[in-house]
Amino acid sequence: MASRKFNKSIPYLLILPALAIIFPLLIYPVFYNVYLSFFSWKVLPPAFNFVKLQNYLDVFNNPVFWNSVKITLQFTGIVVGIQFVLGLGLAYLLNGQKFAKQTTRSIVLIPYISAPAIISLIWRLLWDPDLGQINQILRFFGIRGPGWIADPATSLFSVTVTEIWRGIPFVILVLLAGLQALPDEPYDAAKVDGASSVQIFFLITVPLLKTIIWIVLLFQTIFTLRAFDIIWVLTGGGPGGSTQTLSIMIYRTMFRFWDGGTSSTLSVIILILTLLISFVFFRYLYKEMEV
């Protein structure tokens, strides 16, 4: 009996070292951040007072916060949607490629393995209204390009395009791996029945990839919700707050206004938002896995 109990406890004993590392590095900071969100914590002038839910009330009554939420959701929805559509199409093309397959995949990986700061600086030069190649191409066709990242009307578009380009290799690689793992039997049967390529894609490939698709959408949504480096280097959240996502607002609140309590509150809110969206994805994912 004692031996049986010991055998049952072995899996828990094996994960103890991992928990000993994860707790102080990940779990404890999350709970401590929630704790700080109930305090008025200012660096300059120094202050640390318990204010209950006042930080949350102040944030929810702040129009700047709601504008940042709107920008964050708009940015995330557009980026994830376009990355998925383009990524699925490119993965499908790469899956059928026979010539220079390894070389093509290596080229596709370049945006994803490059440092975000370097990518941002390169794209900042590309978006430059005077020296950037984008406006030079437009001038060649007689079109006067805007000040892409300096104009509130086009800054979010510029940041969105840059983020799509940076993150699309991840989508391509995961979907490509899923395509290569699909069985051949349904395709052989469809060809015998005379199905067209479009019918095969939408009636066989996409349904078989549903689980992988949900996983890709989940990860890309989480990554994009907390996007910071690309936006910060390109625009710093400007001009006029036109690209200020929640991540940028958290940074500005802490390191420009030295307001740790409000910054912690915003961090908790974006954590809850991420958990809610993840819950929706996991709900549909489990349904697909049960089927």
Side-chain angles (χ1 to χ4, degrees):
M1 181 65 69
S3 176
R4 185 179 300 176
K5 289 183 177 180
F6 178 76
N7 290 335
K8 288 183 178 180
S9 65
I10 288 178
Y12 301 99
L13 294 174
L14 292 175
I15 65 172
L16 278 178
L19 291 176
I21 297 174
I22 291 174
F23 183 80
L25 294 180
L26 296 178
I27 300 177
Y28 172 74
V30 171
F31 284 101
Y32 187 64
N33 188 65
V34 174
Y35 167 77
L36 290 177
S37 69
F38 297 103
F39 287 82
S40 175
W41 170 40
K42 296 184 182 295
V43 180
L44 294 173
F48 193 79
N49 302 308
F50 181 64
V51 293
K52 301 180 181 178
L53 296 174
Q54 189 60 45
N55 285 335
Y56 291 91
L57 295 175
D58 292 341
V59 166
F60 290 136
N61 290 324
N62 187 354
V64 176
F65 164 75
W66 291 111
N67 184 59
S68 296
V69 171
K70 176 184 175 183
I71 293 172
T72 302
L73 295 179
Q74 181 181 351
F75 173 74
T76 302
I78 295 174
V79 168
V80 174
I82 295 178
Q83 281 182 344
F84 169 70
V85 173
L86 293 179
L88 180 59
L90 292 172
Y92 192 75
L93 292 176
L94 286 175
N95 189 47
Q97 185 191 39
K98 296 181 180 180
F99 177 73
K101 186 178 293 186
Q102 296 299 328
T103 303
T104 306
R105 293 178 187 177
S106 300
I107 294 173
V108 168
L109 270 175
I110 290 176
Y112 197 69
I113 63 177
S114 302
I118 296 175
I119 292 174
S120 303
L121 291 173
I122 293 173
W123 275 92
R124 188 166 184 168
L125 291 174
L126 292 174
W127 293 120
D128 188 274
D130 300 318
L131 303 176
Q133 284 75 13
I134 295 175
N135 275 2
Q136 288 182 14
I137 294 172
L138 292 177
R139 280 195 293 268
F140 178 79
F141 292 100
I143 303 172
R144 183 179 180 182
W148 294 101
I149 58 176
D151 188 346
T154 56
S155 56
L156 185 59
F157 169 80
S158 307
V159 170
T160 301
V161 171
T162 306
E163 181 64 28
I164 290 171
W165 181 85
R166 186 198 69 85
I168 201 170
F170 174 81
V171 180
I172 295 174
L173 289 177
V174 177
L175 292 177
L176 182 59
L179 286 170
Q180 292 178 341
L182 296 181
D184 296 328
E185 290 79 7
Y187 293 95
D188 296 335
K191 291 176 181 178
V192 171
D193 292 337
S196 65
S197 300
V198 176
Q199 290 174 323
I200 291 175
F201 179 77
F202 285 103
L203 298 178
I204 296 179
T205 303
V206 173
L208 289 175
L209 277 178
K210 273 188 177 180
T211 302
I212 302 295
I213 288 173
W214 281 113
I215 293 174
V216 168
L217 291 176
L218 171 63
F219 276 97
Q220 285 304 101
T221 301
I222 294 174
F223 294 157
T224 311
L225 273 175
R226 60 182 181 84
F228 174 81
D229 37 25
I230 294 287
I231 303 173
W232 182 254
V233 176
L234 281 177
T235 64
S242 58
T243 59
Q244 180 174 272
T245 60
L246 285 174
S247 297
I248 300 294
M249 187 177 180
I250 292 170
Y251 180 86
R252 281 182 162 180
T253 302
M254 181 64 212
F255 295 103
R256 288 197 175 181
F257 302 108
W258 304 106
D259 189 348
T262 304
S263 178
S264 298
T265 303
L266 291 169
S267 301
V268 173
I269 291 172
I270 197 172
L271 173 63
I272 294 173
L273 180 61
T274 304
L275 290 176
L276 289 175
I277 294 175
S278 300
F279 173 78
V280 174
F281 276 105
F282 275 117
R283 183 179 178 183
Y284 282 98
L285 181 60
Y286 283 135
K287 285 184 178 180
E288 293 297 331
M289 293 178 68
E290 288 176 359
V291 173

